[in-house]
Amino acid sequence: SFAKELFLGNIEQKGVFPFPEVSQHELSEINQFVGPLEKFFTEEVDSRKIDQEGKIPVDTLEKLKSLGLFGIQVPEEYGGLGLSNTMYARLGEIISLDASITVTLAAHQAIGLKGIILVGNEEQKAKYLPKLSSGEHIAAFCLTEPASGSDAASIQTRATLSEDKKYFILNGSKVWITNGGLANIFTVFAKTEVVDSDGSKTDKMTAFIVERDFGGITNGKPEDKLGIRGSNTCEVHFENTRVPVENVLGEVGGGFKVAMNILNSGRFSMGSAVAGMLKKLIELTAEYACTRKQFNRNLSEFGLIQEKFALMAQKAYVMESMAYLTSGMLDQPGFPDCSIEAAMVKVFSSEAAWQCVSEALQILGGSGYMKDYPYERMLRDARILLIFEGTNEILRLFIALTGLQHAGRILTSRIKELKSGNVTTVMETIGRKLRDSLGRTVDLGLTGDLGVVHPSLGDSANKLEENVHYFGRTVETLLLRFGKNIVEEQLVLKRVANILINLYGMTAVLSRASRSIRIGLRNHDHEVLLANMFCVEAYFQNLFSLSQLDKNAPENLDEQIKKVSRQILEKRAYICAHPLDRAS
Amino acid sequence: KDEPWLVPRPPEPQRKPIKVPAMHEDLFKPSGNRERDKASFLNAVRSFGAHNVRKRGHVDFIYLALRKMPEFGVERDLSVYNLLLDVFPKEVFRPRNVIQRIFVHYPRQQECGVAVLEQMERHGVMPSAETEFLLIQIFGRKSYPMLKFLRMKLWFTRFKNINPYPVPRDLPQDPLDLAKLGLRHMEPDLSAKVTVYQMSLPSDSTGMEDPTQPHIVGIQSPDQQAALARHNPSRPVFVEGPFPLWLRNKCVYYHILRADLPPPEEEKVEEIPEEWELYYPQKLDLEYSRSGWDDYEFDVDEVTEGPVFAMCMAGAHDQATLIKWIQGLQETNPTLAQIPVVFRLARSTGELLTTSRLEGQSPPHSPPKGPEEDDETIQAEQQQGQS
């Protein structure tokens, strides 16, 4: 895929340049849909009330069901809308106007029933999907347990096969289940005993479709949360729940793959959802900034306020580009593996959301802090984005390690030769280093006469090419230095992931802005500005990160960071003496 | 028949030298029913000044007062030291010309001043600005007490916090609390749990079959618990001890539960469960790893010593007591019931011998074979200091 190629210092243009488009027919179809939906969300959904009361009103849910939003991606033959990933992202933009509804719907269809679509067999699909897509039944995804946050190996829920081999008896507890109190259908992951080919018994994870009617299912009371307070999150307990063997999702013992597929497939949509939220946010704050007077001037005339709008617009533009680029890739035939790209979209958009909402609140100053305005609620709601669907820390490791694994496989022979001291390879490497240090220009074919990037973005494209080239070199050096031990170097991995996210963002905006210029979209000069601005910022960030990845760089403070934290964690406290303390 | 010089002679009944009462001794005599505390000490010092307007014999008096300070429990009190220095007459011992400055001017007085500072140093008392002022007034800037003072100023600050594992200045008197403190002191893991397996009973409780029930306190960290759970039950674990641990002037004894290092063939290679890879790859499928030239770690020889599973401190060091500890441990470590436990107790503990006199004096709550033997005088001082 595109991201994996970046690790080798290449830019794979297929699927990325030109920016993916949807057909006119599809577009007009979705636009018919978007209008009423937007109207419904702006006029009928009272986010403030949802937040205060901690639940979504029944009539709102009914309306959502009648709009078909509970089965956006369910194929049409099962009663869903059967929309593509790109269209799903488009609807997500509007749904995101209320965070609680977004989370409820996402838990239902992005993870709750996704397993049935991805790996369910015909009977399971026919039995469950129609009712799920109509919203008659709500789905929930049950993986997390008290003992396991991100560590799925320690799940304790067990499913044991009954004597007559017709049922699995399910026992255990799951925590933090979104929709846990509303759901009728649960995708539950439990340990089952599996006999290996050599006859030994091991515990493996299996996915089950569990109906509430199977009995023995109880809920804890809804959790009181910081944000997304309208969504229902609670514990779900299973006590001797009898699950028929037909309800095993995928294979017995194959739950791990199911869980991984579900989680990896749902992440890209956060990009467009956050972008939708940010666009709304920009409207709200711009209205305020242009009317509020301070020192006889509008707020909008102050540079420090203007800067915040530029930041919000830039972030929104980048994440939108990344999200639709990724969804466009996902919609290409052959189920391409875009898990790295989706993870990058998630990391970028969640962090941008937090930053931008915070800046928006800052524009309002003290008023933003008050409950009269929606900003504090948006801030609270945005905080969860950094945590769920895989925390950003874990996703960074995923991004970096998956790419390094790919690069490592391809570079293995070269690195082996280098390590054994093959004269030709060593000389070649030294020669390459020498050429790089003498400042050769990098040309990966983005610009020029037949280039895919528009000339007004040429400088930015050159910056991207340069970054990609040196990133490839750095990856090679890192692999040479650490080899498989790089798994333990989390600070290094974080930087690799950060660079990659920036590179992907640069690619996305270059591709999108080029398309906008060529087909002459409205305000494309604005897009060019945003794209160039982001590319310059990202370029310098990347240069800094790349130099930090150098072994003896003065910018690299890893050793000090590790030592400081080690000393603190040994004592489990801040250990400096008080500034007022005296020696005597 | 023995070689007379190889065998130490039985100690002759010490004939105490006839003690000549030092001068001014009577100032520190307990007068009436007065307590021996700071107030009475200050009183004594003040009355010296009052009786001796010309301060005759002040050097002797200061030496005597320094000796008496611990008795009054003021040996750590800066203000008392300053008051003692104040006894010196001012301006008299300051060198006034070059020659006096070259040779030690009033050596006896300067030595006495240094002695005061030395005692402060021994008890860890940091001199203050007032001390400096007094020293300058008495001996002048270029003098030995002043030099000593400067050195103390320099080094005290540097050495004050040099111990990363500080021991509190006043140790708890209760052996149970002292044992808890000692165990915490040895255990680096802060999540380790201290458990009191048995409280010591007061020895005067009659009617019990075993009236002297020693206390048993143990400590075990979650990691140790997990290691014990993993232990191969066919290999024995050992209770070893007693080992001494010094906390300031007290010595306590502890026992450990340990095993031998498992032979390399028994070590299980930890397999990474597949489920860990749910979010990100836990290991890379590469053949090469970090090279030697990139390794800045020190070459550390791993100690080939077996794991320690728990530690305890008990009032008695016999097997019967320690069995109770093991029984207590079995409640939290069920696997311990299947593991054979071998007691490897040192016959002689190497403890400081207890004089019968101290045993008679020891407070009733401490067991007769109490592990803590301390310098009697110091204990007496501390009790003084606390009262």
Side-chain angles (χ1 to χ4, degrees), chain B residues 122-317:
Chain B
R122 259 202 312 285
H123 293 292
V125 182
M126 179 79 180
S128 67
E130 196 193 341
T131 320
E132 184 183 12
F133 183 69
L134 281 167
L135 288 173
I136 291 173
Q137 262 197 328
I138 300 163
F139 300 108
R141 269 188 197 285
K142 300 259 165 168
S143 61
Y144 284 94
M146 203 51 206
L147 191 61
K148 175 85 193 164
F149 167 82
L150 290 176
R151 285 173 178 165
M152 280 167 82
K153 267 287 199 205
L154 177 70
W155 291 112
F156 264 38
T157 48
R158 279 154 184 71
F159 286 146
K160 195 178 169 200
N161 294 312
I162 205 162
N163 185 0
Y165 308 103
V167 184
R169 208 187 74 183
D170 295 315
L171 293 172
Q173 292 296 309
D174 183 18
L176 194 69
D177 292 339
L178 190 69
K180 282 182 190 169
L181 180 81
L183 289 170
R184 274 264 169 248
H185 199 69
M186 284 189 289
E187 175 62 58
D189 190 347
L190 293 179
S191 36
K193 225 174 97 205
V194 175
T195 319
V196 179
Y197 294 102
Q198 184 170 290
M199 297 285 277
S200 61
L201 289 178
S203 47
D204 56 270
S205 67
T206 49
M208 299 281 289
E209 280 179 34
D210 181 18
T212 57
Q213 178 179 319
H215 67 269
I216 308 170
V217 194
I219 193 165
Q220 196 181 30
S221 70
D223 286 349
Q224 288 173 326
Q225 217 167 334
L228 187 53
R230 278 199 307 272
H231 184 77
N232 180 358
S234 62
R235 298 190 171 275
V237 292
F238 306 104
V239 176
E240 291 184 358
F243 302 111
L245 170 74
W246 282 94
L247 297 167
R248 291 202 183 268
N249 47 33
K250 294 205 179 187
C251 186
V252 287
Y253 293 86
Y254 64 95
H255 297 264
I256 60 171
L257 179 69
R258 62 167 280 258
D260 282 333
L261 207 62
E265 67 268 16
E266 260 189 38
E267 272 181 44
K268 281 176 239 160
V269 181
E270 291 251 327
E271 270 196 22
I272 296 178
E274 182 192 48
E275 286 88 346
W276 280 4
E277 312 239 325
L278 182 60
Y279 286 100
Y280 68 96
Q282 296 278 334
K283 57 177 192 295
L284 287 190
D285 176 24
L286 300 175
E287 285 156 26
Y288 41 88
S289 60
R290 196 168 185 156
S291 340
W293 49 262
D294 196 36
D295 195 358
Y296 290 110
E297 296 290 308
F298 285 109
D299 189 15
V300 180
D301 277 327
E302 292 286 322
V303 179
T304 51
E305 206 174 52
V308 175
F309 297 124
M311 289 189 289
C312 90
M313 281 190 190
H317 307 318

Side-chain angles (χ1 to χ4, degrees), chain A residues 38 40 106 157 160 283 408 576:
Chain A
E38 211 156 18
F40 169 67
T157 304
T160 31
E283 282 175 26
C576 296

Side-chain angles (χ1 to χ4, degrees), chain A residues 261-387:
Chain A
N261 282 337
I262 294 175
L263 290 170
N264 281 344
S265 71
R267 287 191 187 116
F268 75 95
S269 65
M270 191 185 285
S272 69
V274 173
M277 190 265 288
L278 280 186
K279 286 190 226 171
K280 181 83 183 164
L281 193 65
I282 291 173
E283 282 175 26
L284 287 171
T285 44
E287 179 72 29
Y288 180 86
C290 292
T291 49
R292 166 98 171 160
K293 289 226 185 253
Q294 293 277 288
F295 315 115
N296 253 340
R297 285 201 284 175
N298 276 335
L299 270 191
S300 56
E301 292 170 51
F302 294 102
L304 289 178
I305 301 293
Q306 289 163 358
E307 187 193 22
K308 297 186 199 305
F309 284 98
L311 176 90
M312 287 195 282
Q314 188 207 51
K315 295 277 182 194
Y317 184 72
V318 177
M319 77 174 73
E320 214 176 40
S321 312
M322 286 167 88
Y324 284 100
L325 178 62
T326 312
S327 65
M329 286 170 162
L330 280 168
D331 283 334
Q332 278 164 6
F335 301 105
D337 173 27
C338 295
S339 49
I340 304 185
E341 285 84 354
M344 290 196 284
V345 173
K346 193 263 168 184
V347 172
F348 184 88
S349 57
S350 57
E351 278 167 12
W354 178 243
Q355 195 187 356
C356 290
V357 175
S358 170
E359 291 288 1
L361 192 149
Q362 191 73 19
I363 292 171
L364 270 88
S367 316
Y369 201 67
M370 302 299 149
K371 290 228 169 193
D372 297 340
Y373 286 87
Y375 304 99
E376 58 88 29
R377 189 189 70 237
M378 289 169 117
L379 192 80
R380 286 188 281 115
D381 289 345
R383 193 60 185 81
I384 190 64
L385 300 176
L386 306 153
I387 299 169

